[in-house]
Tab-separated table of all heavy atoms in Angstrom:
chain	number	residue	atom	x	y	z
A	252	THR	N	-197.300	111.202	77.430
A	252	THR	CA	-196.748	109.882	77.723
A	252	THR	C	-196.376	109.165	76.437
A	252	THR	O	-197.007	109.359	75.397
A	252	THR	CB	-197.741	109.010	78.518
A	252	THR	OG1	-197.144	107.732	78.758
A	252	THR	CG2	-199.042	108.799	77.751
A	253	THR	N	-195.330	108.352	76.515
A	253	THR	CA	-195.001	107.487	75.374
A	253	THR	C	-195.601	106.107	75.597
A	253	THR	O	-195.431	105.222	74.771
A	253	THR	CB	-193.475	107.332	75.221
A	253	THR	OG1	-192.925	106.896	76.463
A	253	THR	CG2	-192.821	108.622	74.790
A	310	LYS	N	-186.232	109.733	95.385
A	310	LYS	CA	-187.344	110.579	94.945
A	310	LYS	C	-187.943	111.328	96.137
A	310	LYS	O	-188.081	110.785	97.228
A	310	LYS	CB	-188.426	109.703	94.310
A	310	LYS	CG	-187.943	108.977	93.064
A	310	LYS	CD	-188.062	109.852	91.838
A	310	LYS	CE	-187.655	109.115	90.578
A	310	LYS	NZ	-186.195	108.901	90.501
A	336	TYR	N	-189.016	115.281	90.223
A	336	TYR	CA	-188.577	114.337	89.187
A	336	TYR	C	-189.360	114.546	87.901
A	336	TYR	O	-189.001	114.019	86.858
A	336	TYR	CB	-188.585	112.887	89.684
A	336	TYR	CG	-189.840	112.043	89.572
A	336	TYR	CD1	-190.134	111.335	88.406
A	336	TYR	CD2	-190.707	111.920	90.652
A	336	TYR	CE1	-191.262	110.519	88.327
A	336	TYR	CE2	-191.843	111.113	90.583
A	336	TYR	CZ	-192.107	110.419	89.418
A	336	TYR	OH	-193.222	109.623	89.344
A	341	TYR	N	-190.429	119.880	80.039
A	341	TYR	CA	-190.638	118.834	79.037
A	341	TYR	C	-192.100	118.413	79.036
A	341	TYR	O	-192.729	118.309	80.095
A	341	TYR	CB	-189.735	117.631	79.320
A	341	TYR	CG	-189.845	116.566	78.252
A	341	TYR	CD1	-189.233	116.735	77.021
A	341	TYR	CD2	-190.612	115.432	78.461
A	341	TYR	CE1	-189.359	115.785	76.024
A	341	TYR	CE2	-190.752	114.467	77.471
A	341	TYR	CZ	-190.118	114.652	76.249
A	341	TYR	OH	-190.259	113.718	75.265
A	355	ARG	N	-188.954	105.138	87.271
A	355	ARG	CA	-189.012	106.300	88.163
A	355	ARG	C	-190.302	106.314	88.967
A	355	ARG	O	-190.304	106.569	90.168
A	355	ARG	CB	-188.888	107.585	87.332
A	355	ARG	CG	-187.559	107.697	86.655
A	355	ARG	CD	-187.682	108.444	85.356
A	355	ARG	NE	-188.652	107.802	84.460
A	355	ARG	CZ	-188.970	108.266	83.269
A	355	ARG	NH1	-188.440	109.369	82.840
A	355	ARG	NH2	-189.850	107.633	82.514
A	427	LYS	N	-186.970	116.998	72.991
A	427	LYS	CA	-186.161	117.465	74.122
A	427	LYS	C	-185.614	118.861	73.836
A	427	LYS	O	-185.325	119.612	74.751
A	427	LYS	CB	-184.954	116.537	74.317
A	427	LYS	CG	-185.279	115.210	74.941
A	427	LYS	CD	-183.985	114.549	75.386
A	427	LYS	CE	-184.045	113.061	75.207
A	427	LYS	NZ	-182.766	112.407	75.476
A	622	ILE	N	-149.581	111.003	62.958
A	622	ILE	CA	-149.700	110.679	64.383
A	622	ILE	C	-150.657	109.509	64.650
A	622	ILE	O	-150.528	108.813	65.637
A	622	ILE	CB	-150.140	111.957	65.155
A	622	ILE	CG1	-149.936	111.834	66.656
A	622	ILE	CG2	-151.583	112.320	64.844
A	622	ILE	CD1	-150.056	113.160	67.391
A	641	ARG	N	-136.638	113.135	59.464
A	641	ARG	CA	-135.705	112.267	58.746
A	641	ARG	C	-136.201	111.966	57.333
A	641	ARG	O	-135.436	111.963	56.383
A	641	ARG	CB	-135.577	110.935	59.484
A	641	ARG	CG	-134.248	110.734	60.131
A	641	ARG	CD	-134.260	109.448	60.924
A	641	ARG	NE	-133.877	109.749	62.290
A	641	ARG	CZ	-134.038	108.918	63.313
A	641	ARG	NH1	-134.617	107.751	63.125
A	641	ARG	NH2	-133.629	109.254	64.507
A	691	MET	N	-143.399	106.788	52.184
A	691	MET	CA	-142.134	106.333	52.768
A	691	MET	C	-141.660	105.055	52.076
A	691	MET	O	-140.464	104.887	51.811
A	691	MET	CB	-142.300	106.090	54.267
A	691	MET	CG	-142.439	107.378	55.074
A	691	MET	SD	-142.880	107.033	56.803
A	691	MET	CE	-142.629	108.665	57.528
A	755	GLU	N	-145.745	86.651	45.799
A	755	GLU	CA	-145.466	85.570	46.736
A	755	GLU	C	-146.760	85.153	47.419
A	755	GLU	O	-147.471	85.993	47.965
A	755	GLU	CB	-144.446	86.006	47.786
A	755	GLU	CG	-143.917	84.822	48.570
A	755	GLU	CD	-142.943	85.252	49.674
A	755	GLU	OE1	-143.401	85.806	50.691
A	755	GLU	OE2	-141.738	85.028	49.517
A	767	ARG	N	-143.909	79.069	51.203
A	767	ARG	CA	-144.221	80.265	50.410
A	767	ARG	C	-143.747	80.041	48.988
A	767	ARG	O	-142.682	79.452	48.783
A	767	ARG	CB	-143.520	81.483	50.994
A	767	ARG	CG	-144.136	81.940	52.295
A	767	ARG	CD	-143.244	82.970	52.975
A	767	ARG	NE	-143.378	82.916	54.415
A	767	ARG	CZ	-144.433	83.365	55.073
A	767	ARG	NH1	-145.438	83.917	54.429
A	767	ARG	NH2	-144.489	83.267	56.383
A	802	ILE	N	-158.400	75.244	48.404
A	802	ILE	CA	-158.818	76.636	48.256
A	802	ILE	C	-157.676	77.443	47.658
A	802	ILE	O	-156.519	77.310	48.081
A	802	ILE	CB	-159.212	77.246	49.622
A	802	ILE	CG1	-160.460	76.561	50.170
A	802	ILE	CG2	-159.487	78.744	49.519
A	802	ILE	CD1	-160.226	75.790	51.402
A	807	LYS	N	-152.936	85.452	46.831
A	807	LYS	CA	-152.808	85.444	48.294
A	807	LYS	C	-152.272	84.109	48.807
A	807	LYS	O	-151.216	84.055	49.393
A	807	LYS	CB	-154.186	85.686	48.947
A	807	LYS	CG	-154.828	86.988	48.598
A	807	LYS	CD	-154.239	88.124	49.399
A	807	LYS	CE	-154.933	89.428	49.051
A	807	LYS	NZ	-154.213	90.584	49.535
A	810	ASN	N	-154.789	76.998	50.263
A	810	ASN	CA	-155.026	76.292	51.520
A	810	ASN	C	-155.557	74.898	51.200
A	810	ASN	O	-156.531	74.748	50.459
A	810	ASN	CB	-156.028	77.065	52.392
A	810	ASN	CG	-156.146	76.454	53.788
A	810	ASN	OD1	-155.314	75.630	54.188
A	810	ASN	ND2	-157.168	76.851	54.514
B	3	G	P	-179.268	101.549	74.812
B	3	G	OP1	-180.100	100.796	73.857
B	3	G	OP2	-178.264	100.845	75.631
B	3	G	O5'	-178.533	102.720	74.028
B	3	G	C5'	-179.259	103.515	73.094
B	3	G	C4'	-178.392	104.630	72.585
B	3	G	O4'	-177.985	105.481	73.695
B	3	G	C3'	-177.061	104.211	71.971
B	3	G	O3'	-177.203	103.722	70.662
B	3	G	C2'	-176.287	105.519	72.038
B	3	G	O2'	-176.727	106.440	71.070
B	3	G	C1'	-176.697	106.020	73.426
B	3	G	N9	-175.751	105.558	74.454
B	3	G	C8	-175.914	104.554	75.368
B	3	G	N7	-174.864	104.395	76.150
B	3	G	C5	-173.961	105.345	75.708
B	3	G	C6	-172.640	105.658	76.165
B	3	G	O6	-171.999	105.133	77.081
B	3	G	N1	-172.075	106.694	75.431
B	3	G	C2	-172.690	107.351	74.394
B	3	G	N2	-171.988	108.320	73.801
B	3	G	N3	-173.918	107.081	73.954
B	3	G	C4	-174.486	106.068	74.666
B	12	G	P	-149.419	103.116	72.488
B	12	G	OP1	-150.533	103.665	73.273
B	12	G	OP2	-149.450	101.705	72.042
B	12	G	O5'	-149.206	104.023	71.195
B	12	G	C5'	-149.089	105.435	71.346
B	12	G	C4'	-148.975	106.058	69.976
B	12	G	O4'	-147.736	105.677	69.353
B	12	G	C3'	-150.027	105.606	68.976
B	12	G	O3'	-151.263	106.261	69.197
B	12	G	C2'	-149.369	106.003	67.660
B	12	G	O2'	-149.449	107.389	67.457
B	12	G	C1'	-147.908	105.617	67.939
B	12	G	N9	-147.618	104.252	67.484
B	12	G	C8	-147.705	103.092	68.211
B	12	G	N7	-147.398	102.021	67.521
B	12	G	C5	-147.101	102.508	66.260
B	12	G	C6	-146.703	101.820	65.081
B	12	G	O6	-146.533	100.611	64.926
B	12	G	N1	-146.500	102.687	64.020
B	12	G	C2	-146.655	104.047	64.077
B	12	G	N2	-146.418	104.720	62.950
B	12	G	N3	-147.035	104.710	65.170
B	12	G	C4	-147.225	103.877	66.214
B	14	A	P	-154.444	103.245	62.408
B	14	A	OP1	-155.233	104.303	61.767
B	14	A	OP2	-155.119	102.142	63.122
B	14	A	O5'	-153.504	102.663	61.286
B	14	A	C5'	-153.562	101.318	61.044
B	14	A	C4'	-152.699	100.995	59.884
B	14	A	O4'	-151.495	100.399	60.405
B	14	A	C3'	-153.363	99.930	59.022
B	14	A	O3'	-154.034	100.550	57.957
B	14	A	C2'	-152.196	99.053	58.594
B	14	A	O2'	-151.514	99.617	57.493
B	14	A	C1'	-151.297	99.134	59.833
B	14	A	N9	-151.557	98.115	60.854
B	14	A	C8	-152.001	98.291	62.135
B	14	A	N7	-152.088	97.182	62.835
B	14	A	C5	-151.671	96.206	61.944
B	14	A	C6	-151.523	94.811	62.059
B	14	A	N6	-151.785	94.143	63.172
B	14	A	N1	-151.094	94.134	60.969
B	14	A	C2	-150.825	94.809	59.848
B	14	A	N3	-150.917	96.119	59.617
B	14	A	C4	-151.351	96.765	60.722
B	16	U	P	-158.200	95.689	55.410
B	16	U	OP1	-158.545	96.991	55.998
B	16	U	OP2	-158.645	94.448	56.046
B	16	U	O5'	-158.667	95.656	53.893
B	16	U	C5'	-159.035	96.856	53.221
B	16	U	C4'	-158.789	96.709	51.745
B	16	U	O4'	-157.379	96.452	51.517
B	16	U	C3'	-159.481	95.506	51.092
B	16	U	O3'	-160.830	95.779	50.792
B	16	U	C2'	-158.634	95.288	49.849
B	16	U	O2'	-158.927	96.227	48.839
B	16	U	C1'	-157.240	95.574	50.416
B	16	U	N1	-156.565	94.340	50.882
B	16	U	C2	-155.915	93.576	49.938
B	16	U	O2	-155.878	93.884	48.755
B	16	U	N3	-155.325	92.435	50.412
B	16	U	C4	-155.320	91.988	51.710
B	16	U	O4	-154.744	90.943	51.988
B	16	U	C5	-156.012	92.840	52.651
B	16	U	C6	-156.596	93.954	52.206
B	19	G	P	-159.962	88.971	54.368
B	19	G	OP1	-159.756	89.882	55.505
B	19	G	OP2	-160.245	89.497	53.030
B	19	G	O5'	-158.684	88.022	54.261
B	19	G	C5'	-158.068	87.524	55.450
B	19	G	C4'	-156.979	86.554	55.096
B	19	G	O4'	-157.546	85.287	54.676
B	19	G	C3'	-156.092	87.008	53.952
B	19	G	O3'	-154.792	86.490	54.186
B	19	G	C2'	-156.714	86.337	52.729
B	19	G	O2'	-155.807	86.116	51.696
B	19	G	C1'	-157.178	85.007	53.330
B	19	G	N9	-158.358	84.417	52.701
B	19	G	C8	-159.336	85.031	51.968
B	19	G	N7	-160.281	84.212	51.597
B	19	G	C5	-159.888	82.980	52.107
B	19	G	C6	-160.500	81.714	52.024
B	19	G	O6	-161.571	81.414	51.484
B	19	G	N1	-159.769	80.736	52.668
B	19	G	C2	-158.580	80.955	53.310
B	19	G	N2	-158.020	79.900	53.871
B	19	G	N3	-157.986	82.134	53.411
B	19	G	C4	-158.695	83.093	52.774
B	20	C	P	-153.768	87.294	55.083
B	20	C	OP1	-154.265	87.356	56.470
B	20	C	OP2	-153.309	88.498	54.391
B	20	C	O5'	-152.607	86.214	54.999
B	20	C	C5'	-152.766	84.938	55.603
B	20	C	C4'	-151.418	84.490	56.104
B	20	C	O4'	-150.534	84.351	54.975
B	20	C	C3'	-150.747	85.498	57.045
B	20	C	O3'	-149.983	84.790	58.001
B	20	C	C2'	-149.833	86.271	56.119
B	20	C	O2'	-148.723	86.820	56.755
B	20	C	C1'	-149.407	85.163	55.150
B	20	C	N1	-149.003	85.676	53.846
B	20	C	C2	-147.677	85.503	53.445
B	20	C	O2	-146.899	84.902	54.192
B	20	C	N3	-147.287	85.974	52.252
B	20	C	C4	-148.150	86.612	51.470
B	20	C	N4	-147.724	87.068	50.301
B	20	C	C5	-149.513	86.815	51.855
B	20	C	C6	-149.887	86.338	53.039
B	24	C	P	-142.388	98.350	56.320
B	24	C	OP1	-141.542	98.359	55.107
B	24	C	OP2	-141.917	97.693	57.553
B	24	C	O5'	-142.781	99.856	56.691
B	24	C	C5'	-143.125	100.791	55.677
B	24	C	C4'	-143.593	102.080	56.308
B	24	C	O4'	-144.867	101.864	56.978
B	24	C	C3'	-142.698	102.610	57.422
B	24	C	O3'	-141.571	103.304	56.916
B	24	C	C2'	-143.663	103.518	58.171
B	24	C	O2'	-143.912	104.716	57.466
B	24	C	C1'	-144.924	102.663	58.153
B	24	C	N1	-144.990	101.771	59.337
B	24	C	C2	-145.495	102.284	60.545
B	24	C	O2	-145.869	103.468	60.582
B	24	C	N3	-145.557	101.479	61.635
B	24	C	C4	-145.126	100.216	61.545
B	24	C	N4	-145.199	99.461	62.644
B	24	C	C5	-144.600	99.675	60.335
B	24	C	C6	-144.549	100.468	59.259
B	25	G	P	-140.189	103.218	57.669
B	25	G	OP1	-139.212	103.957	56.852
B	25	G	OP2	-139.900	101.827	58.074
B	25	G	O5'	-140.503	104.039	59.001
B	25	G	C5'	-140.650	105.447	58.940
B	25	G	C4'	-141.206	105.966	60.239
B	25	G	O4'	-142.427	105.264	60.566
B	25	G	C3'	-140.359	105.752	61.479
B	25	G	O3'	-139.259	106.635	61.548
B	25	G	C2'	-141.397	106.032	62.553
B	25	G	O2'	-141.709	107.402	62.622
B	25	G	C1'	-142.609	105.283	61.978
B	25	G	N9	-142.643	103.908	62.503
B	25	G	C8	-142.299	102.734	61.880
B	25	G	N7	-142.426	101.693	62.661
B	25	G	C5	-142.863	102.210	63.883
B	25	G	C6	-143.166	101.579	65.115
B	25	G	O6	-143.109	100.387	65.393
B	25	G	N1	-143.577	102.490	66.082
B	25	G	C2	-143.665	103.846	65.883
B	25	G	N2	-144.066	104.569	66.924
B	25	G	N3	-143.392	104.454	64.737
B	25	G	C4	-143.001	103.585	63.792
B	26	C	P	-137.984	106.211	62.400
B	26	C	OP1	-136.962	107.253	62.158
B	26	C	OP2	-137.671	104.790	62.148
B	26	C	O5'	-138.511	106.322	63.892
B	26	C	C5'	-138.852	107.597	64.443
B	26	C	C4'	-139.418	107.406	65.829
B	26	C	O4'	-140.509	106.446	65.787
B	26	C	C3'	-138.462	106.790	66.846
B	26	C	O3'	-137.547	107.743	67.356
B	26	C	C2'	-139.454	106.308	67.898
B	26	C	O2'	-139.960	107.379	68.658
B	26	C	C1'	-140.571	105.748	67.016
B	26	C	N1	-140.403	104.291	66.777
B	26	C	C2	-140.685	103.411	67.830
B	26	C	O2	-141.062	103.880	68.915
B	26	C	N3	-140.524	102.086	67.656
B	26	C	C4	-140.121	101.620	66.479
B	26	C	N4	-139.978	100.293	66.347
B	26	C	C5	-139.824	102.487	65.373
B	26	C	C6	-139.976	103.806	65.574
B	40	U	P	-130.056	111.237	61.711
B	40	U	OP1	-131.354	111.623	61.121
B	40	U	OP2	-130.003	110.291	62.843
B	40	U	O5'	-129.113	110.683	60.565
B	40	U	C5'	-128.948	111.405	59.347
B	40	U	C4'	-127.853	110.779	58.532
B	40	U	O4'	-126.607	110.806	59.297
B	40	U	C3'	-128.037	109.303	58.216
B	40	U	O3'	-128.912	109.106	57.120
B	40	U	C2'	-126.609	108.864	57.923
B	40	U	O2'	-126.194	109.279	56.635
B	40	U	C1'	-125.834	109.653	58.987
B	40	U	N1	-125.609	108.865	60.224
B	40	U	C2	-124.578	107.938	60.232
B	40	U	O2	-123.859	107.735	59.261
B	40	U	N3	-124.417	107.242	61.407
B	40	U	C4	-125.163	107.381	62.551
B	40	U	O4	-124.900	106.688	63.538
B	40	U	C5	-126.223	108.362	62.477
B	40	U	C6	-126.400	109.054	61.336
B	41	C	P	-129.883	107.870	57.101
B	41	C	OP1	-130.886	108.112	56.048
B	41	C	OP2	-130.314	107.561	58.481
B	41	C	O5'	-128.902	106.715	56.626
B	41	C	C5'	-128.166	106.863	55.419
B	41	C	C4'	-127.161	105.744	55.329
B	41	C	O4'	-126.111	105.937	56.318
B	41	C	C3'	-127.718	104.373	55.665
B	41	C	O3'	-128.444	103.835	54.589
B	41	C	C2'	-126.439	103.597	56.017
B	41	C	O2'	-125.710	103.223	54.880
B	41	C	C1'	-125.669	104.665	56.802
B	41	C	N1	-125.913	104.587	58.253
B	41	C	C2	-125.171	103.664	59.013
B	41	C	O2	-124.350	102.945	58.437
B	41	C	N3	-125.375	103.580	60.354
B	41	C	C4	-126.284	104.375	60.940
B	41	C	N4	-126.448	104.259	62.251
B	41	C	C5	-127.056	105.317	60.199
B	41	C	C6	-126.847	105.393	58.871
B	65	C	P	-165.772	74.143	56.714
B	65	C	OP1	-166.197	73.567	55.423
B	65	C	OP2	-166.135	73.497	57.996
B	65	C	O5'	-164.193	74.324	56.696
B	65	C	C5'	-163.348	73.199	56.890
B	65	C	C4'	-161.913	73.605	56.637
B	65	C	O4'	-161.759	73.941	55.228
B	65	C	C3'	-161.464	74.869	57.355
B	65	C	O3'	-161.064	74.593	58.677
B	65	C	C2'	-160.297	75.329	56.485
B	65	C	O2'	-159.130	74.576	56.724
B	65	C	C1'	-160.827	75.005	55.084
B	65	C	N1	-161.511	76.145	54.438
B	65	C	C2	-160.731	77.207	53.955
B	65	C	O2	-159.505	77.178	54.117
B	65	C	N3	-161.334	78.249	53.364
B	65	C	C4	-162.668	78.253	53.209
B	65	C	N4	-163.223	79.303	52.599
B	65	C	C5	-163.482	77.188	53.680
B	65	C	C6	-162.867	76.154	54.274
B	83	C	P	-181.947	114.389	84.136
B	83	C	OP1	-182.403	115.744	84.359
B	83	C	OP2	-180.825	113.834	84.922
B	83	C	O5'	-183.169	113.399	84.274
B	83	C	C5'	-183.006	112.032	83.998
B	83	C	C4'	-184.234	111.277	84.435
B	83	C	O4'	-184.265	111.281	85.883
B	83	C	C3'	-185.543	111.898	83.949
B	83	C	O3'	-186.449	110.870	83.598
B	83	C	C2'	-186.051	112.652	85.166
B	83	C	O2'	-187.462	112.687	85.228
B	83	C	C1'	-185.508	111.801	86.313
B	83	C	N1	-185.236	112.555	87.525
B	83	C	C2	-185.542	111.959	88.749
B	83	C	O2	-186.024	110.827	88.752
B	83	C	N3	-185.288	112.637	89.888
B	83	C	C4	-184.766	113.854	89.821
B	83	C	N4	-184.540	114.480	90.966
B	83	C	C5	-184.438	114.478	88.580
B	83	C	C6	-184.693	113.802	87.474
B	84	C	P	-186.280	110.166	82.184
B	84	C	OP1	-187.256	109.066	82.185
B	84	C	OP2	-184.865	109.923	81.895
B	84	C	O5'	-186.785	111.278	81.162
B	84	C	C5'	-188.171	111.584	81.054
B	84	C	C4'	-188.460	112.229	79.713
B	84	C	O4'	-187.942	113.580	79.715
B	84	C	C3'	-187.784	111.544	78.529
B	84	C	O3'	-188.631	111.685	77.424
B	84	C	C2'	-186.515	112.349	78.325
B	84	C	O2'	-186.060	112.351	76.991
B	84	C	C1'	-187.005	113.754	78.688
B	84	C	N1	-185.925	114.620	79.216
B	84	C	C2	-185.618	115.804	78.555
B	84	C	O2	-186.254	116.111	77.546
B	84	C	N3	-184.635	116.593	79.046
B	84	C	C4	-183.984	116.233	80.141
B	84	C	N4	-183.023	117.043	80.590
B	84	C	C5	-184.281	115.022	80.822
B	84	C	C6	-185.248	114.243	80.331
B	85	A	P	-189.260	110.486	76.744
B	85	A	OP1	-188.296	109.501	76.261
B	85	A	OP2	-190.091	111.247	75.838
B	85	A	O5'	-190.172	109.737	77.808
B	85	A	C5'	-191.525	109.909	77.783
B	85	A	C4'	-192.133	109.353	79.030
B	85	A	O4'	-191.456	109.902	80.192
B	85	A	C3'	-193.595	109.758	79.196
B	85	A	O3'	-194.472	108.869	78.543
B	85	A	C2'	-193.773	109.740	80.703
B	85	A	O2'	-193.942	108.417	81.154
B	85	A	C1'	-192.430	110.267	81.174
B	85	A	N9	-192.425	111.735	81.316
B	85	A	C8	-193.084	112.687	80.589
B	85	A	N7	-192.868	113.906	80.975
B	85	A	C5	-192.002	113.752	82.032
B	85	A	C6	-191.394	114.677	82.877
B	85	A	N6	-191.579	115.990	82.788
B	85	A	N1	-190.581	114.212	83.840
B	85	A	C2	-190.399	112.897	83.934
B	85	A	N3	-190.911	111.907	83.194
B	85	A	C4	-191.716	112.422	82.247
Side-chain angles (χ1 to χ4, degrees):
Chain A
T252 179
T253 53
K310 297 275 183 288
Y336 88 86
Y341 184 76
R355 296 149 303 179
K427 285 194 215 173
I622 195 167
R641 250 175 235 166
M691 288 171 169
E755 193 183 73
R767 288 169 210 286
I802 294 114
K807 300 281 181 194
N810 188 14

